[in-house]
Amino acid sequence: MKESPDSADKKRPAVLPLFLLLAGAGLLLAGLLSGQAQDVLMKAVRVCLECIGVG
Amino acid sequence: MSGEKRRGWIQFSALLIQNANFRGFFSGKIFQGDTKAVCVPGINCYSCPGAVGACPVGSLQTFLASRPVKFPYYVLGLLILFGTILGRAVCGFLCPFGFIQELIHKIPLPKKKIGSFPGDRALRKLKYAILLVMVILLPLAMDYTPTFCKYICPAGTLEGGIPLVLFGSSKLNFPAGTLFYTKLAVLILLFVLSLFLFRPFCKYLCPLGAFYGLFNRVSLYRMRPEPEKCTHCGACSAVCPMQVDPSATPNHTECIRCGRCTSACPAGALHLGFSRRAGAAEVQDGER
């Protein structure tokens, strides 16, 4: 094997997935607190004319 | 049950769960319940009469194309979480449109299916350009226009356009114009290509696959090979439908975690999973 998976895993900073999980959760929380889930709902319950190719 | 069959059942279940509003297909009306506030992990048009969740790509463009522009905290947060936990396993297990292309690819042909071809590698980069230009930059520049959905998305045509435009109730019977037929041509072309190529939309066009691919190297669900077991027989790369060499780049951006390589490896050197020690545990079990 050209790249040892173990060495690839070792090269991968262990904190990166944790950082990404925290960043994702933080963004999600910020979105929820600013009412963006409601914005998504409002968009998703109406037929999106652009999405179906007539808008 | 083989890994490939199990994956097929998971894909089928994911398709059904994400499109569980079966009544919508008969009434021609889309679902309007609260679950539509949640983005599903894969490409699944929220204008599909069956859809019970929101499409993340459509939702992302909605925020970027709104005026004033809203930073898409919610959608981006969900996408980063999906990417960090699963990477492109979302493509391999949960994306309904990817599953449909795979079903078409299973149709037997008199000629051999195509793996790689000249220009294949360069074409794979197109999806990153689509992510940047059609999903991010153009919606930012054009008011209220989700450009990827409007001009490209074949899932929207298949799941929303065809049911609503062609078979919808009179209330939802929209006039189909040039744009609709152009998108229909894109869909048909992709389906014809799917007969010969494995998941052409995912390989060359899907902006969500491009995004999740960036997470493959760090995602929790990942390939964990054991190099000391590898005999360099090439069995893994020979069966890979995405033309990845798992022995060299086990967490390549193109890997959708289908698991064919793990089944094909005669030495049991490839393992897919969440656990860092999954591979080691299997070795010890085998030696006992």
Side-chain angles (χ1 to χ4, degrees):
Chain A
M1 290 185 178
K2 290 170 196 166
E3 183 189 2
S4 150
D6 286 344
S7 66
D9 262 7
K10 279 170 193 165
K11 271 188 253 169
R12 181 172 63 106
V15 292
L16 193 52
L18 184 65
F19 169 76
L20 287 168
L21 285 174
L22 289 174
L27 286 168
L28 177 63
L29 189 65
L32 287 171
L33 292 175
S34 58
Q36 290 193 351
Q38 195 64 22
D39 293 343
V40 169
L41 180 65
M42 287 300 106
K43 173 71 178 173
V45 296
R46 298 193 185 102
V47 173
C48 168
L49 296 179
E50 294 91 348
C51 305
I52 64 173
V54 298
Chain B
M1 193 187 288
S2 73
E4 189 63 8
K5 265 194 177 170
R6 190 172 61 232
R7 188 173 72 88
W9 280 109
I10 293 172
Q11 287 176 294
F12 182 59
S13 307
L15 183 145
L16 288 184
I17 291 167
Q18 292 174 65
N19 295 286
N21 180 43
F22 305 123
R23 270 188 300 179
F25 291 105
F26 300 101
S27 66
K29 290 179 180 171
I30 66 168
F31 182 69
Q32 298 189 314
D34 289 343
T35 54
K36 275 211 157 167
V38 181
C39 294
V40 295
I43 292 247
N44 195 66
C45 185
Y46 40 32
S47 290
C48 173
V52 295
C55 172
V57 179
S59 302
L60 187 66
Q61 290 171 93
T62 299
F63 286 110
L64 298 176
S66 66
R67 298 294 178 269
V69 174
K70 287 183 182 175
F71 186 84
Y73 296 103
Y74 175 69
V75 183
L76 197 58
L78 274 174
L79 288 177
I80 289 174
L81 286 177
F82 289 140
T84 309
I85 296 167
L86 294 170
R88 282 197 82 176
V90 169
C91 310
F93 287 85
L94 303 177
C95 181
F97 195 69
F99 178 51
I100 292 165
Q101 290 172 86
E102 279 191 39
L103 290 179
I104 295 171
H105 191 66
K106 285 182 194 293
I107 297 171
L109 288 177
K111 283 191 175 180
K112 203 182 164 196
K113 307 269 178 180
I114 301 167
S116 193
F117 56 88
D120 175 46
R121 289 284 153 197
L123 267 179
R124 305 272 180 127
K125 293 182 172 50
L126 183 59
K127 58 182 174 290
Y128 296 98
I130 288 174
L131 172 64
L132 184 66
V133 177
M134 302 298 285
V135 177
I136 298 172
L137 296 180
L138 285 180
L140 279 172
M142 296 164 72
D143 294 358
Y144 306 104
T145 309
T147 41
F148 173 75
C149 295
K150 184 169 182 174
Y151 297 110
I152 298 178
C153 186
T157 310
L158 176 71
E159 299 168 356
I162 291 175
L164 293 177
V165 173
L166 301 183
F167 308 117
S169 65
S170 56
K171 269 187 187 172
L172 283 169
N173 226 342
F174 297 105
T178 311
L179 186 59
F180 176 77
Y181 290 111
T182 307
K183 285 187 69 184
L184 191 61
V186 171
L187 176 69
I188 292 169
L189 176 67
L190 280 168
F191 279 178
V192 171
L193 284 174
S194 295
L195 287 167
F196 304 94
L197 291 161
F198 183 79
R199 297 175 73 140
F201 176 71
C202 313
K203 281 179 177 172
Y204 310 117
L205 302 177
C206 183
L208 201 52
F211 182 83
Y212 287 141
L214 301 174
F215 287 83
N216 263 5
R217 278 181 67 87
V218 294
S219 62
L220 302 182
Y221 187 83
R222 58 193 293 101
M223 187 78 77
R224 298 178 199 282
E226 293 180 80
E228 64 278 7
K229 280 187 169 183
C230 180
T231 58
H232 307 282
C233 65
C236 53
S237 55
V239 296
C240 180
M242 297 297 281
Q243 287 73 50
V244 171
D245 180 358
S247 65
T249 48
N251 293 298
H252 194 279
T253 52
E254 291 294 315
C255 175
I256 59 164
R257 312 309 195 195
C258 70
R260 286 188 196 179
C261 56
T262 60
S263 305
C265 179
L270 294 166
H271 309 275
L272 261 175
F274 284 105
S275 168
R276 192 175 277 267
R277 294 183 181 178
E282 285 171 32
V283 181
Q284 285 166 4
D285 285 348
E287 285 170 353
R288 272 174 208 153

